[in-house]
Amino acid sequence: MSIINFIEKYRKSKRTLFTTPSHGQGDFVAPQTLKLLGHKYFSCDYSEIEGFDNLSHPSGIIKAAQDAAARIYEAKSTFFLVNGSTSGIVAAMLALLSRGEKVLIARNCHKCVYNGLVLTGALPIWLLPKYNRDWGIFESVNIDYLEEILARNKDVKAFIMTNPTYEGAMSDVYRISAVCRKYNVLLIVDEAHGALWNFNKSLGTPSLAQGADIVVQSLHKTAGALNPSALLHISKESTVNPQMIQQALNLITTSSPSYPILVNIESTINYLNSSKGKMAAYDTVKNVNRFIRSIKTIPNLDVYSYNNDVTKILVKVTNMSGFELSDILYDNYGIEDELANEKSVLFLTGMGTTKSKLKKLEKALFDLTSNNIKIYQNSYETDRHFVPVEPRVRYIPALMWGKPSREVELKYALSRICNEVIVQYPPGAPILLPGEVIRKEHIDYLQSTNRQKIRVFV
Ligand SMILES: Cc1ncc(COP(=O)(O)O)c(C=O)c1O
């Protein structure tokens, strides 16, 4: 029986529960919450009581739902995550890496990879993907560079990369996985932003089908599910032991998983896999493509379109920084983007992106480029743009954990050891991590953001 059918049936059984959660399926809800959210969500919020399953040792309805999902994704195992892709990536690292083992990581990784480094004690080796200065974004992983690093470091255990990137840029995972296999390296792909690919192949080829060992996807990012629902898949061909992943997930996951989230994970997958769901995904992508074609006709506007997932629409306007464009859209048109950088602005779309939302954005872009551009032209002068440099790791993140630090003026920080996590958020990629040497490029960038101080190791 599906999780959703089980809960529906259970609600009708009218059992008297003396269990957590103490709201008693909505017999108590704080009044303001009730006003905002209503009662229904609470009425489906159960603990893992008699008849329910156990997310840390699934054997009933959760196991059946995960097995069904694995069949849909053509995976050896699929795990439902109630704490986002963050927990999937950290668990994959905990399962595969031991203290001191080398892990190669593409530097445009999400900050949660740092959490995994602290918890595992693994030694990071960093790979800088191609950087596109015109758009201010990382692009694909260079395969020759990857091979060169692996040939120099024969003891690398795993490679962690992001595909697609936050901005939608894709790498050739087929070739990357072949290189990883050649060097006996396990491939973990953070596909947080590619969760719709399985249901609309025009967006991109899922990394699992391209040979990755482990793939982690956020269902909340594009696939229309609740925050922070996500999935971890192990490939059928992989040597990764599902039991190790389960144990690692159990180390870091709550013992009170949210059943509303589990229900939503299950039903989102089943719907997207149905013909209606596939049609809805098709329509979403069609509308987005139509929108992109239309805004491409705006003379002063450019849309990023080089081997990317079109649900992430990266736009720049001539003589206007991304920050400016973002501010104008927010202040004058009530439109909020996902992120802005010096060069461009990112609009994230997904299952909930309606035609009318796209229409509103389209109108605003036409309007601001034809009417307002002269007002803003060249008014943005500071360069708040970090061009990534090769990180120099002096101490591994796990060794730095809890080590003393103090703040120093940036002008005195050159060559000192950073002892704080500095990420560009969004997208959440690290600029400096604890244990890394502070370089001139870091200081210049941080000063350009009006920052005065940095925390260093003492
Ligand atoms: C590339 C990437 N990976 C992982 C994550 C973490 O995902 P979640 O929010 O599902 O934990 C994010 C979140 O922004 C992300 O952008």
Side-chain angles (χ1 to χ4, degrees), residues 83-87 89 108-110 112 162 164-166 190 192-193 218 220-221 228-230 425 427:
N83 192 20
S85 286
T86 298
S87 63
I89 290 161
N108 58 338
C109 65
H110 183 254
C112 66
T162 306
T165 64
Y166 206 121
D190 173 350
H193 291 278
S218 294
H220 62 96
K221 291 194 192 296
S229 45
Y425 206 83

